[in-house]
C-alpha cells in the first residue's frame, strides 16, 4: 500500500510539473506574438497632459508662487533687456516710406492660431482594436477658436450694463447715453464666432474665475476704453462699496501738470480681484533726458518695455497690451520724444521712420514678454490688435466725419481667416503671447464711434477713433474672457 501511494504521489507531482511547463511554453509563445500591452506604449502616451488647455484659473505651483507683498522681491531670475540690436528686427520690417498714422486694417497675414495635430492611432498588429491612442481626440483640446471670424447678430439682452449708471468707472466723454446722441441701435448686437461658441459673460462667474488675480491693461486711450468697459461689465454699471481704489499700491498718480492719472487700479474685495490700467501709448520705456527739467526731451527707448511692466510683472496674472495710434510724427514731436536704441540716440535712418519704429517696438516688447513667461508660468499675455478708425472725407482735423447711424451698413460678417493687423500678428507668432484679434470685427461698426456727440469735441471736429460705451469694446472683453 505504501508503495502504491508513493507511486501515485510521484505521478501527481509529475503531472503538475508537466502542466507548469506547458503553461510557461504557451505564455512565452503568446508573448513572442503579442507583447504585453504596456510595452508598446511610451510613458508620454500613457499620460497625455496638453499644457495649453490649462487656463489662467489654475493654481500656481509651489515653486512658482507669485508674491502678493508688493514690497517683497520674489526669488526669480532678473529681467533681461532685449539683446538683439535694431538690425535683426529691422530685417522683418518692410522698408516703407514714413506715414502719418494712416492705418490700413485690411492688410492680411497668415493665420497665427495653432493648428491641430494629425490623427495618429496606435493599434495592435493583429487588427484587433484593443488599444487605440488617438492623438486626434487629445488634439481637440488644443484646437484654438478663431474668435475674429464670425458675424454680428441682434441680441435683445444687450447692452451688458447701463450707460446711465456706470459713472464711477466710465469717462463722461465716452458715455454716449449722457450726450445728445439720439440713436443707440449700436448697443443691440452680439458677436458670434463662426465655428465655436463664445460663452456668455456673467460678472459673478468672471470674478470667481479671477479670484486672487490681477488683470492689467497697458496701452493708449483705446486700452483705457477697454479697461473702463470691463469695470462696467464686472460691476454691472452699479456702485459697489466692495470695490476699492488701490492705485497708490502701483504708484499710479497724477503727474505734475497732467490732467489725469497715469493709470487706475481697483480691487474687488470679495474675490481679491484687481483690475488696473496703465497709460503707455507706445509700449516702450520713456525716460526724461534731464530729470530736473520739466521741459526736458524724453528718451523713447524703442527696445525696452515700459518700466511699469518690468516693476510689477510678477504681480500680474493677465496682461493686455495695445498700441498704434500715437505712432505719428506730430505726437512724437509734441511729446518731445527722442528715439533711443541700445541706450543711446538712434542713428539708424530706417528706424527713424515712424512706421518702422512702431513695428520694431511691437516686436521688441512681444519678444521680451515671451522671454519672461518661463519664469512667470501663471501669467497670460495678450496683444490686442489695433482698433480701426473711421474718418470719412478727411482726417480728425480736416473735416473728417463718421455720421453713419445705421448698424451693419458695412456688412455684418468677417470671413477671412487671417488677422487684419499683420504687424501685431507677426510679432506674437511663434511666441506664447496670445493674439486678441478685434480689428476686422470692429471695422464693420463705424456707427459705434463717439462721432460729433463728444462733450469735448470742438466745433466741426468729430471723434471717429474712440467708441461709445456701452459698445464695441465690450465685445473685446467678451472675447478676452473666452480666451482665458
Amino acid at each position: 500500500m505504501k508503495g502504491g501511494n508513493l507511486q501515485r504521489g510521484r505521478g501527481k507531482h509529475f503531472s503538475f510539473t508537466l502542466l507548469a511547463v506547458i503553461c510557461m511554453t504557451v505564455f512565452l509563445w503568446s508573448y513572442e506574438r503579442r507583447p504585453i500591452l504596456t510595452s508598446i506604449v511610451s510613458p508620454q502616451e500613457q499620460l497625455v497632459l496638453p499644457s495649453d488647455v490649462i487656463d489662467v484659473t489654475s493654481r500656481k505651483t509651489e515653486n512658482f508662487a507669485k508674491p502678493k507683498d508688493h514690497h517683497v522681491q520674489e526669488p526669480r531670475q532678473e529681467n533681461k533687456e532685449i539683446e538683439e540690436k535694431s538690425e535683426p528686427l529691422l530685417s522683418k520690417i518692410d522698408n516703407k516710406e514714413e506715414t502719418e498714422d494712416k492705418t490700413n486694417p485690411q492688410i492680411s497675414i497668415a493665420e497665427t492660431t495653432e493648428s491641430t495635430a494629425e490623427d495618429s492611432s496606435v493599434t495592435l498588429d493583429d487588427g484587433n482594436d484593443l488599444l487605440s491612442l488617438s492623438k486626434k481626440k487629445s488634439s481637440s483640446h488644443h484646437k484654438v477658436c478663431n474668435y475674429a471670424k464670425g458675424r454680428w447678430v441682434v441680441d435683445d439682452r444687450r447692452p451688458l450694463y447701463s450707460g446711465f449708471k456706470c459713472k464711477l468707472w466710465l469717462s463722461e466723454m465716452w458715455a454716449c447715453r449722457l450726450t445728445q446722441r439720439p440713436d443707440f441701435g449700436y448697443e443691440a448686437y452680439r458677436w458670434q464666432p463662426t465655428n465655436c461658441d463664445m460663452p456668455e459673460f456673467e460678472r459673478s462667474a468672471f470674478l470667481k474665475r479671477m479670484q486672487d488675480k490681477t488683470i492689467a491693461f497697458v496701452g493708449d486711450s483705446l486700452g483705457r476704453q477697454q479697461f473702463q468697459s470691463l469695470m462696467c461689465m464686472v460691476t454691472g454699471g452699479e456702485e459697489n462699496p466692495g470695490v476699492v481704489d488701490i492705485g497708490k499700491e502701483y504708484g499710479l498718480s497724477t503727474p505734475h501738470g497732467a490732467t489725469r492719472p497715469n493709470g487706475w487700479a481697483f480691487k474687488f474685495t470679495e474675490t481679491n480681484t484687481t483690475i488696473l490700467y496703465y497709460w503707455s501709448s507706445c509700449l516702450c520705456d520713456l525716460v526724461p533726458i534731464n530729470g530736473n527739467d520739466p521741459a526736458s526731451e524724453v528718451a523713447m527707448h524703442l527696445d525696452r518695455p515700459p518700466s511699469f511692466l518690468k516693476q510689477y510683472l510678477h504681480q500680474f496674472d493677465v496682461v493686455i497690451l495695445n498700441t498704434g495710434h500715437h505712432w505719428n510724427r506730430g505726437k512724437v514731436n509734441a511729446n518731445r520724444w527722442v528715439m533711443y536704441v541700445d541706450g543711446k540716440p538712434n542713428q539708424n535712418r530706417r528706424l527713424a521712420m515712424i512706421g518702422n519704429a512702431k513695428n520694431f517696438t511691437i516686436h521688441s516688447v512681444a519678444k521680451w514678454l515671451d522671454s519672461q513667461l518661463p519664469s512667470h508660468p501663471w501669467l497670460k499675455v495678450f496683444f490686442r490688435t489695433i482698433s480701426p478708425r473711421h474718418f470719412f472725407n478727411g482726417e480728425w482735423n480736416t473735416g473728417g466725419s463718421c455720421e453713419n447711424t445705421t448698424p451693419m451698413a458695412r456688412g455684418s460678417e468677417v470671413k477671412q481667416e487671417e488677422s487684419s493687423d499683420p504687424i501685431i500678428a507677426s510679432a506674437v507668432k511663434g511666441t506664447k503671447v496670445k493674439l486678441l484679434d478685434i480689428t476686422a470685427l470692429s471695422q464693420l461698426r463705424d456707427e459705434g464711434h463717439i462721432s460729433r456727440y463728444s462733450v469735448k469735441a470742438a466745433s466741426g471736429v468729430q471723434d471717429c477713433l474712440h467708441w461709445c460705451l456701452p459698445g464695441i469694446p465690450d465685445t473685446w472683453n467678451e472675447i478676452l474672457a473666452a480666451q482665458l
Side-chain angles (χ1 to χ4, degrees):
M1 290 297 291
K2 288 183 178 179
N5 290 337
L6 181 61
Q7 283 295 108
R8 281 194 296 273
R10 288 177 178 175
K12 289 181 180 179
H13 182 270
F14 177 79
S15 298
F16 282 123
T17 302
L18 180 61
L19 180 61
V21 171
I22 292 173
C23 290
M24 180 61 70
T25 302
V26 171
F27 176 81
L28 292 175
W29 176 77
S30 299
Y31 183 83
E32 289 295 322
R33 292 197 58 196
R34 185 183 301 169
I36 297 174
L37 295 182
T38 56
S39 69
I40 67 169
V41 183
S42 68
Q44 290 84 357
E45 290 173 321
Q46 293 179 41
L47 182 61
V48 179
L49 294 174
S51 61
D52 56 351
V53 300
I54 302 174
D55 74 5
V56 73
T57 59
S58 62
R59 294 182 180 272
K60 292 123 183 147
T61 60
E62 201 170 358
N63 291 335
F64 291 102
K66 75 183 177 70
K68 286 298 180 180
D69 186 345
H70 300 166
H71 304 290
V72 177
Q73 289 293 331
E74 65 169 341
R76 73 189 193 284
Q77 65 182 37
E78 294 184 4
N79 296 336
K80 298 179 180 179
E81 298 294 340
I82 301 291
E83 296 179 355
E84 285 72 10
K85 308 300 181 183
S86 60
E87 287 301 331
L89 276 178
L90 279 173
S91 64
K92 301 179 181 180
I93 302 171
D94 292 334
N95 186 13
K96 300 178 181 179
E97 292 298 323
E98 177 178 343
T99 59
E100 292 299 314
D101 193 26
K102 295 181 179 179
T103 304
N104 180 2
Q106 301 302 325
I107 301 175
S108 299
I109 192 171
E111 182 182 1
T112 59
T113 54
E114 302 172 16
S115 60
T116 58
E118 295 182 0
D119 183 18
S120 176
S121 299
V122 179
T123 57
L124 297 179
D125 58 1
D126 63 358
N128 294 326
D129 195 12
L130 298 178
L131 177 66
S132 178
L133 299 176
S134 175
K135 292 183 179 180
K136 183 176 181 180
K137 183 176 181 180
S138 64
S139 70
S140 64
H141 297 289
H142 292 264
K143 186 175 181 180
V144 177
C145 173
N146 184 1
Y147 290 101
K149 181 180 179 182
R151 60 193 177 94
W152 290 100
V153 296
V154 175
D155 188 338
D156 58 9
R157 295 169 296 178
R158 305 288 151 145
L160 298 175
Y161 54 90
S162 168
F164 291 107
K165 296 182 179 180
C166 194
K167 296 180 180 179
L168 286 179
W169 329 115
L170 178 56
S171 296
E172 181 184 19
M173 60 184 174
W174 295 333
C176 290
R177 283 280 184 176
L178 302 180
T179 69
Q180 298 300 312
R181 181 164 180 153
D183 64 290
F184 302 97
Y186 60 88
E187 293 182 347
Y189 288 82
R190 170 177 57 84
W191 180 250
Q192 176 59 55
T194 299
N195 295 318
C196 50
D197 292 326
M198 191 162 69
E200 288 288 329
F201 184 89
E202 205 287 309
R203 55 184 179 175
S204 60
F206 180 80
L207 282 174
K208 186 175 181 180
R209 288 172 58 204
M210 295 295 106
Q211 184 162 351
D212 299 322
K213 302 188 186 302
T214 297
I215 303 169
F217 292 90
V218 180
D220 58 23
S221 57
L222 276 304
R224 183 155 64 102
Q225 283 211 297
Q226 189 175 0
F227 158 74
Q228 292 191 4
S229 163
L230 185 60
M231 287 298 300
C232 290
M233 290 168 67
V234 175
T235 60
E238 303 286 347
E239 293 187 22
N240 186 339
V243 181
V244 181
D245 185 346
I246 59 168
K248 290 183 179 179
E249 294 184 15
Y250 292 91
L252 301 175
S253 60
T254 304
H256 179 71
T259 58
R260 63 175 67 95
N262 54 5
W264 294 265
F266 298 99
K267 177 179 286 187
F268 292 76
T269 55
E270 185 175 351
T271 57
N272 192 34
T273 303
T274 297
I275 302 176
L276 66 85
Y277 163 79
Y278 178 75
W279 183 88
S280 179
S281 62
C282 61
L283 293 183
C284 58
D285 201 20
L286 299 174
V287 182
I289 297 175
N290 182 355
N292 297 323
D293 181 9
S296 170
E297 291 183 325
V298 178
M300 185 184 190
H301 293 280
L302 303 181
D303 53 352
R304 297 181 187 174
S307 57
F308 179 83
L309 264 182
K310 293 182 65 177
Q311 182 176 359
Y312 295 105
L313 189 66
H314 67 280
Q315 295 181 216
F316 299 154
D317 297 273
V318 182
V319 173
I320 306 97
L321 306 174
N322 89 283
T323 190
H325 293 295
H326 278 254
W327 289 92
N328 64 75
R329 183 60 63 185
K331 289 186 180 295
V332 169
N333 292 341
N335 290 320
R336 302 187 301 279
W337 290 345
V338 180
M339 295 182 189
Y340 271 56
V341 177
D342 197 26
K344 54 183 179 291
N346 171 56
Q347 300 298 323
N348 189 311
R349 294 181 63 183
R350 289 179 62 200
L351 196 56
M353 293 187 287
I354 292 295
N356 287 345
K358 179 191 73 173
N359 300 350
F360 175 78
T361 300
I362 287 172
H363 279 80
S364 292
V365 71
K367 187 171 183 178
W368 178 78
L369 279 163
D370 186 55
S371 74
Q372 299 302 303
L373 290 175
S375 57
H376 301 75
W378 62 85
L379 180 62
K380 300 291 182 183
V381 180
F382 296 85
F383 213 133
R384 204 203 72 215
T385 61
I386 196 165
S387 173
R389 307 154 75 247
H390 288 95
F391 288 97
F392 297 99
N393 303 316
E395 286 297 312
W396 69 272
N397 57 350
T398 59
S401 63
C402 49
E403 295 186 340
N404 171 47
T405 59
T406 303
M408 307 300 110
R410 300 171 64 84
S412 63
E413 187 172 7
V414 174
K415 298 182 179 180
Q416 67 194 46
E417 294 287 346
E418 69 279 359
S419 172
S420 287
D421 188 334
I423 303 304
I424 293 176
S426 64
V428 304
K429 188 174 184 180
T431 74
K432 292 184 179 180
V433 178
K434 304 298 183 183
L435 189 70
L436 181 54
D437 195 357
I438 57 86
T439 304
L441 63 90
S442 304
Q443 181 69 25
L444 300 174
R445 303 302 307 276
D446 62 300
E447 88 286 3
H449 286 294
I450 304 295
S451 186
R452 59 188 173 88
Y453 300 103
S454 174
V455 294
K456 293 186 178 180
S459 177
V461 176
Q462 295 196 17
D463 187 348
C464 304
L465 173 63
H466 298 100
W467 304 90
C468 288
L469 290 176
I472 311 306
D474 303 336
T475 296
W476 305 349
N477 284 321
E478 288 183 278
I479 295 175
L480 170 66
Q483 287 189 240
L484 286 173

